[in-house]
Amino acid sequence: MMNEAVKQKLEIFFSEFKHLTFKKGEILIRADDDPAGIFYLKQGTVRQYAISKDGEEQTLTLYKPIAYFPMMWAMNDIHNTYYFEALTDVEVYRAPRDVVLEFVKKEPDVLYDLTSRIYSGMHGLLTRMEYLLFSSAYNKILFTIMNNATRFGTQEYGEVHLHMTHKDIAAFSGLTKETISREIKKLEEKGLVKNQNQLIIIKDIKIIEQELLS
């Protein structure tokens, strides 16, 4: 969890720059476009994804407050090849790249927080790669649901509610919708989840984790 002092510094810094809002489905940054600056996510969820030569989308990561991106481009001048899409209505501030870099360099605690985020994200990415490379379709879906439920699920009536469609799961797992439908039906038959109108209801996230490790 972000240090409150760091959070406050980021809030104060970015709030001095351009305030923007995007509706669900709108693109903040397009692949191969030079980003207009660094986006600081105040509210909502943003998806970073790539599109294959066959036109298939692959979700790489999701951003939720507090986050700012694209830092690979900002810090290393790496050409941006990804799309950044609003998964919900989002509110952001956009600051010039050079000004953000100067701010990060002058604030050791902000730089430390950013470094910590990078390593945390790397751990999540490596774990996800491991499941995608070596696991069955059943476990790939289990991991996708558990990972997203932990980060983005909401607690309601003692359950975890996750708004995620079969298309969303396909973009995370690389599986076909037909395979996803079949494997989720197995999860429902085991009583691990309920799938209702683009909403996945999880009775107990710990049971999902145990199932994944078994």
Side-chain angles (χ1 to χ4, degrees):
M1 184 176 292
M2 178 180 285
N3 181 287
E4 282 299 321
V6 172
K7 180 179 178 181
Q8 188 175 18
K9 281 185 181 181
L10 290 169
E11 289 272 359
I12 293 171
F13 170 77
F14 279 100
S15 64
E16 296 178 1
F17 299 97
K18 189 169 185 177
H19 177 260
L20 299 165
T21 58
F22 293 85
K23 295 293 185 182
K24 179 180 178 181
E26 288 189 315
I27 302 296
L28 286 73
I29 305 172
R30 292 187 179 277
D32 296 322
D33 284 353
D34 200 24
I38 302 301
F39 291 79
Y40 174 80
L41 184 58
K42 172 74 174 178
Q43 185 174 338
T45 304
V46 171
R47 174 173 76 117
Q48 180 180 349
Y49 68 95
I51 299 180
S52 71
K53 293 181 180 179
D54 297 327
E56 295 184 1
E57 295 180 4
Q58 180 68 51
T59 298
L60 303 172
T61 191
L62 299 178
Y63 296 94
K64 62 179 181 178
I66 302 296
Y68 46 108
F69 53 83
M71 292 306 291
M72 286 191 299
W73 164 77
M75 299 187 74
N76 298 303
D77 202 26
I78 296 173
H79 177 63
N80 176 60
T81 57
Y82 304 113
Y83 291 86
F84 293 78
E85 175 194 13
L87 271 189
T88 64
D89 291 350
V90 303
E91 178 184 351
V92 299
Y93 292 98
R94 190 179 67 203
R97 168 186 178 180
D98 292 345
V99 178
V100 173
L101 290 179
E102 190 64 27
F103 167 72
V104 170
K105 290 175 183 177
K106 288 181 177 179
E107 299 290 345
D109 52 347
V110 174
L111 181 58
Y112 179 85
D113 174 78
L114 177 60
T115 305
S116 175
R117 286 164 174 264
I118 291 170
Y119 278 107
S120 177
M122 185 181 297
H123 175 264
L125 179 61
L126 291 174
T127 303
R128 182 179 167 196
M129 285 176 60
E130 184 179 351
Y131 274 101
L132 292 181
L133 288 171
F134 304 122
S135 294
S136 64
Y138 181 81
N139 277 355
K140 287 178 184 178
I141 292 172
L142 263 180
F143 176 77
T144 299
I145 291 173
M146 184 189 74
N147 187 46
N148 283 279
T150 301
R151 296 181 65 197
F152 301 101
T154 58
Q155 290 282 346
E156 296 187 34
Y157 310 108
E159 302 170 326
V160 179
H161 288 199
L162 176 64
H163 290 276
M164 198 171 198
T165 65
H166 287 195
K167 181 181 177 181
D168 295 331
I169 295 174
F172 268 96
S173 65
L175 299 170
T176 65
K177 292 187 205 176
E178 292 77 12
T179 299
I180 291 166
S181 296
R182 183 177 66 248
E183 299 302 327
I184 284 185
K185 186 175 181 181
K186 292 179 184 177
L187 294 176
E188 290 183 293
E189 289 172 350
K190 288 187 175 184
L192 297 175
V193 303
K194 292 180 183 177
N195 190 27
Q196 300 177 351
N197 298 322
Q198 302 184 2
L199 176 67
I200 296 175
I201 301 173
I202 304 165
K203 293 182 178 180
D204 191 334
I205 196 72
K206 290 183 180 179
I207 295 177
I208 295 287
E209 185 175 1
Q210 290 170 1
E211 177 76 3
L212 188 62
L213 294 174
S214 64

